[in-house]
Amino acid sequence: MATTVRRAVLTLPAAPTGPENPLPALRAPAEVHVLDEQARRGLPRDMARQIGYGPLRSLLPVRIRDGYRRERRTQDFEAVVIENAHLRATVLPGLGGRIHSLVHLPTGRELLYRNPVFQPANFALNGAWFSGGVEWNTGATGHTTLSCAPLHAALVPAPDGGVMVRLWEWERLRDLPFQVDLWLPQDSEFLYAGVRVRNPHERPAPVYWWSNTAVPDDPGSRVLAPADEAWHFGYERSLRRIPLPQWDGADRTYPPRSGHPADFFYEVPEGVRPWIASLDAEGRGLVQTSTGLLRGRKLFTWGSGDGGRRWQEWLTEPGTGGYAEIQAGLARTQLEHVRLEAGEEFAWLEAYGPLSADPAAVHGPDWAAARGAAAAALDAALPAERVEAAYAAWRGAADETPGERLATGSGWGALEVLCGGFKLPGTPFPESTLGEAQAPWLELWRTGVFPAPRRVAPPGDTLVAPHWRDMLETAPADPLTEYHLGVAQWHAGDVAQAVRSWERGLALAPSRWPLLRCLAVADALAGDPERAADRYTEAFEDLAQESRGGEPWLAAESALGREALEALLAAGRLTAARSVWDRLRPALREHGRFRLLAARLLAAEGHLGAARRVFEDGFEVPDLREGEETLEQIWSTLTDRPLPPAYDFRMRPKTP
């Protein structure tokens, strides 16, 4: 059977992603995978250096995606199916290029954990993310901001004369283009993924890449990799080197045997073929391997605790089975970023396919024999030499011009290529993809003037790269320009200048709330909660008077109302907080995050019974953050009773 590529439609129960948050993300991301300087002491020198290299100051220019909900309806998703006699891969270009499914056709076995629903949750750096399949994470530590965003996709000639599917986009956190070429040779039992990240700039850039594969978390499944040690990272934010497979009384290569969610970064020795596999009780499952540049391997497990099980239910349908993740990255751990020099690129080839090994050896007590059996099975199924040959062949096709378009991504790459004059063979960003979001920035580049909006609306996207900041600094200083300039200065670390820009804009602004909100965030981070509370009160009042109908305004009220209530509660301004609550649209008050804020407000006003009833009546917070402990913290102020299971999302051992 020749390899075929066809369009398809995937129908799933799905929650809508909703509108983006229109408020610029001025605060540093709440990422759990961080280590402070003291925690980095004693680590290998290269690891410690890369952990400290290139941390994000903010998520700018990317916007937060927190408009999703929990109510699901049937929805169709555009898909691309790649198939030969051995494998069928289903790819979702509109959702970060995720490989949703990988079926071994001779046996009918699904090799991945295939989520039966589409349910966004707050795991991506910018919010919306969903579980299952194989995802391509780039940008910075965490799940990519493109998790629920469309990528460009097209057919490209494959090295063997067939076709492959190219996915590509402009990653905005680091301003770097990347591509993923999915290639399934005619007689292959392995799907290849050729990956390239390029730096077209005249300065080095920090790069992050981890390919995350969700696999069924069957009780008898074991995760194997060519390592005798691993780096354990738990949600208490400590990184420690541990032996494999036994540590702290349990065999950690079986995912459910960890009590709490945890990362295990395998210490794969230099020069050893990198691979990782998840094999069930019969010794069958999925293996991932690659060329040597992609050196890191990791197991993520939800563990067996109540919190981990609750998260598993939260991300899919209860009773449909859980998953673990086997992952591969550019560094030994996900806490690191790797330096990519100006004008250079990183490129490698990955392979995904079925693996069968002797179950007695795989699950035996001898760890060396277990991983040796898996390694021998991999060498027989896909010798390393074949992977290297496929990589060399793919490199010859990496610059091929895409043919038939399968999907269209954003227009941000087209804007950057046009303004920067970059030449990126193989990944075109045509001007035809420029849209409404890019229009004012295109006019700024062409005329030196940032245009006034045609209608009253929340401010659009803000760009923060140095070349855009320079253009804003020389543009006429109207209020909207000062707003965007302040955001760009804030991103650059020039807080004082950002505040001055926002204050200058405020003096003449017909719409004051966007500037007031920025100044309120600056006050809060400067340690002045009283002034922040004043500005949030004024900002929400101004928005309430200006707001109109429609989704963008509802998103603005939701975002600013939440921030204002949290700031006012922190400052003890209960009367002002109640006033903001009373001015919220009734529909917003029923959202889970606002039900939680209602409980906090009632408790602060002394109505503990009423606050408890909010919990007892039941609510869900759709954008509950990975590692967030707010539900437990608030519940503990209301009662001594145990936290109800529906609210137990704890990802670390309880502090004594």
Side-chain angles (χ1 to χ4, degrees), residues 390-411:
Y391 171 69
W394 168 73
R395 288 293 284 161
D399 286 346
E400 287 279 357
T401 301
E404 179 187 345
R405 288 299 183 105
L406 302 172
T408 301
S410 77

Side-chain angles (χ1 to χ4, degrees), residues 159 183 192 291 349 383-396:
W183 170 32
Y192 293 133
T291 49
L349 188 84
E385 296 79 10
R386 194 186 305 169
V387 175
E388 293 295 336
Y391 171 69
W394 168 73
R395 288 293 284 161

Side-chain angles (χ1 to χ4, degrees), residues 31-312:
E31 172 55 44
V32 297
H33 296 86
V34 294
L35 288 181
D36 57 28
E37 186 174 345
Q38 182 176 356
R40 295 199 296 268
R41 293 175 184 169
L43 297 178
R45 186 173 300 176
D46 62 332
M47 181 188 290
R49 181 180 65 253
Q50 291 185 159
I51 289 175
Y53 173 57
L56 290 180
R57 292 193 185 97
S58 73
L59 292 175
L60 294 167
V62 176
R63 284 186 157 186
I64 302 295
R65 300 181 67 103
D66 58 3
Y68 49 87
R69 295 290 175 256
R70 299 282 302 169
E71 300 79 22
R72 296 193 284 264
R73 296 179 180 175
T74 300
Q75 181 177 336
D76 291 339
F77 296 91
E78 295 294 326
V80 177
V81 176
I82 311 169
E83 184 173 357
N84 67 6
H86 304 283
L87 292 176
R88 182 195 303 125
T90 302
V91 185
L92 303 177
L95 294 172
R98 184 81 59 103
I99 300 177
H100 174 72
S101 169
L102 186 64
V103 176
H104 183 233
L105 294 174
T107 61
R109 293 171 51 231
E110 173 63 69
L111 300 178
L112 307 176
Y113 166 75
R114 181 171 59 193
N115 198 333
V117 305
F118 172 71
Q119 177 57 64
N122 195 356
F123 277 70
L125 282 165
N126 64 330
W129 171 87
F130 65 106
S131 65
V134 181
E135 58 178 311
W136 318 108
N137 290 299
T138 186
T141 297
H143 293 282
T144 176
T145 61
L146 296 166
S147 293
C148 292
L151 302 189
H152 300 281
L155 298 181
V156 181
D160 62 350
V163 293
M164 59 186 178
V165 174
R166 175 162 298 161
L167 306 161
W168 74 97
E169 239 312 348
W170 190 276
E171 200 288 309
R172 300 177 68 206
L173 291 179
R174 305 301 192 183
D175 268 336
L176 301 177
F178 71 93
Q179 72 188 75
V180 179
D181 289 353
L182 298 176
W183 170 32
L184 183 58
Q186 178 173 334
D187 296 321
S188 176
E189 285 198 332
F190 285 82
L191 175 70
Y192 293 133
V195 184
R196 178 165 63 169
V197 180
R198 288 189 272 194
N199 181 7
H201 305 291
E202 296 179 351
R203 62 184 186 277
V207 172
Y208 173 91
W209 187 282
W210 280 79
S211 301
N212 291 12
T213 303
V215 291
D217 189 14
D218 298 327
S221 290
R222 192 177 204 185
V223 173
L224 303 105
D228 290 317
E229 294 179 306
W231 293 91
H232 170 269
F233 184 82
Y235 285 79
E236 64 275 13
R237 298 189 179 184
S238 65
L239 187 65
R240 69 183 79 178
R241 196 167 188 159
I242 66 168
L244 289 175
Q246 293 284 335
W247 175 65
D248 198 22
D251 187 329
R252 303 296 170 158
T253 61
Y254 290 90
R257 297 185 187 179
S258 289
H260 293 83
D263 299 327
F264 296 90
F265 300 101
Y266 292 96
E267 184 69 17
V268 179
E270 290 280 354
V272 172
R273 182 184 188 182
W275 59 271
I276 189 167
S278 175
L279 304 181
D280 63 17
E282 298 177 352
R284 302 186 307 174
L286 175 85
V287 65
Q288 186 273 358
T289 186
S290 69
T291 49
L293 184 66
L294 202 70
R295 62 173 298 189
R297 291 299 184 275
K298 170 193 160 182
L299 160 66
F300 167 75
T301 173
W302 287 105
S304 58
D306 294 338
R309 289 197 299 270
R310 183 69 181 102
W311 272 116
Q312 296 260 40

Side-chain angles (χ1 to χ4, degrees), residues 548-601:
R548 287 138 170 82
E551 194 173 72
W553 288 105
L554 184 64
E557 287 186 43
S558 176
L560 185 58
R562 171 179 166 177
E563 286 190 15
L565 283 168
E566 290 174 345
L568 291 167
L569 286 169
R573 301 281 191 87
L574 302 186
T575 301
R578 178 57 65 183
S579 177
V580 168
W581 175 266
D582 290 340
R583 297 204 66 163
L584 286 171
R585 300 187 195 199
L588 283 180
R589 294 182 205 163
E590 297 306 312
H591 290 175
R593 181 63 67 173
F594 284 100
R595 298 306 302 155
L596 181 59
L597 284 166
R600 289 180 59 189
L601 178 56

Side-chain angles (χ1 to χ4, degrees), residues 326-416:
I326 57 174
Q327 308 180 10
L330 283 174
R332 282 187 285 185
T333 74
Q334 286 178 330
L335 288 69
E336 303 169 65
H337 298 96
V338 182
R339 181 185 177 101
L340 179 58
E341 299 297 337
E344 299 296 326
E345 65 183 40
F346 289 141
W348 63 91
L349 188 84
E350 304 180 40
Y352 296 81
L355 190 71
S356 294
D358 177 10
V362 165
H363 297 285
D366 187 332
W367 171 244
R371 56 184 173 80
L378 173 60
D379 289 340
L382 184 66
E385 296 79 10
R386 194 186 305 169
V387 175
E388 293 295 336
Y391 171 69
W394 168 73
R395 288 293 284 161
D399 286 346
E400 287 279 357
T401 301
E404 179 187 345
R405 288 299 183 105
L406 302 172
T408 301
S410 77
W412 296 113
L415 181 67
E416 295 298 341

